[in-house]
Amino acid sequence: MSAESSPKIVIVDESPIRAAILEEGLREAGYTDVVHISEMQSLLSRIYALDPDIIVIDLENPSRDVLEQMFQVSRAVRRPIAMFVDQSDAASIQASVEAGVSAYIVDGLKKERMKPILDLCVSRFNAFAKLQDELDRTKHALEERKVIDRAKGILMKVKGLTEEDAYVLMRSTAMREKKKIGEIAQSILTASELLK
């Protein structure tokens, strides 16, 4: 792994000893760009400023408050996150998954495990991000379909067109105006609201 291709990794850990173990493990695995944050104050803004590719969070005995703060980071920063904890319970694991933590490792702080854990973390994050994108696209397509159907209904009623003719009219208008058919449909709905 060359220095140019090495992702920027941020370690969030209040313990300098544990952070040193993580950092050494990362460097041995070929990760050269590693930054350590030991101060939890204004954590989110510091992570935003560093803009890392991967975040490694190491918590010795996390309290509910600390976990919640880390989950807020996870929800806000769309990056692969590996979270190491010494002990955990089912509720914390569930909460971490919901918050978008890509890898939640209980009692697994061993430097030689860093590379496989980060590889897993990144691949899980990418798989989840891909699913999320597909879901967003599907939702958008569904919303657009509803808008088009409502616009067709308005054209059929106002202009006395068949469903097919209403669609053809919207499509030809979209092509003429170099817009998407969904935008034309939205304009029809907006105009219809104004004319009520």
Side-chain angles (χ1 to χ4, degrees):
M1 194 184 308
S2 67
E4 295 84 55
S5 70
S6 181
K8 181 189 271 189
I9 300 173
V10 163
I11 299 173
V12 178
D13 194 340
E14 288 179 303
S15 157
I17 296 164
R18 291 166 63 92
I21 294 170
L22 282 171
E23 201 164 333
E24 194 182 335
L26 289 167
R27 291 191 191 284
E28 281 177 16
Y31 298 103
T32 52
D33 194 354
V34 181
V35 182
H36 174 215
I37 299 177
S38 58
E39 191 52 56
M40 296 298 159
Q41 234 49 47
S42 62
L43 180 63
L44 199 50
S45 59
R46 294 173 75 180
I47 288 175
Y48 273 131
L50 289 165
D51 190 26
D53 299 302
I54 304 169
I55 301 165
V56 175
I57 298 172
D58 185 28
L59 305 168
E60 211 158 354
N61 293 305
S63 67
R64 283 263 161 259
D65 290 349
V66 170
L67 270 178
E68 188 44 51
Q69 187 189 4
M70 294 308 151
F71 295 156
Q72 280 171 357
V73 168
S74 182
R75 283 187 285 264
V77 183
R78 301 199 50 166
R79 293 283 183 273
I81 294 181
M83 190 179 287
F84 290 82
V85 294
D86 277 2
Q87 47 203 338
S88 191
D89 54 67
S92 299
I93 294 169
Q94 180 66 31
S96 79
V97 170
E98 286 170 10
V101 172
S102 309
Y104 189 86
I105 302 97
V106 181
D107 190 26
L109 181 58
K110 293 180 181 66
K111 64 178 186 172
E112 57 278 1
R113 292 182 62 200
M114 290 310 301
K115 182 150 179 42
I117 285 171
L118 286 197
D119 288 346
L120 171 75
C121 174
V122 171
S123 67
R124 267 196 198 157
F125 174 82
N126 290 338
F128 182 76
K130 191 173 165 225
L131 281 175
Q132 193 62 51
D133 284 350
E134 283 172 17
L135 184 65
D136 292 345
R137 276 201 303 274
T138 305
K139 274 186 188 166
H140 179 73
L142 208 58
E143 289 303 313
E144 191 173 63
R145 186 81 251 151
K146 285 181 191 170
V147 169
I148 291 169
D149 284 344
R150 284 175 54 209
K152 272 194 302 193
I154 291 167
L155 288 177
M156 288 160 67
K157 194 168 147 188
V158 172
K159 290 181 143 298
L161 299 171
T162 65
E163 186 177 353
E164 193 179 341
D165 288 343
Y167 185 78
V168 168
L169 177 61
M170 281 195 295
R171 194 177 65 205
S172 59
T173 305
M175 287 164 74
R176 191 174 63 246
E177 295 191 11
K178 293 181 176 49
K179 290 184 174 175
K180 291 182 176 173
I181 193 165
E183 293 174 278
I184 299 298
Q186 188 58 61
S187 300
I188 292 168
L189 294 188
T190 305
S192 161
E193 286 297 313
L194 291 172
L195 295 171
K196 272 184 179 170

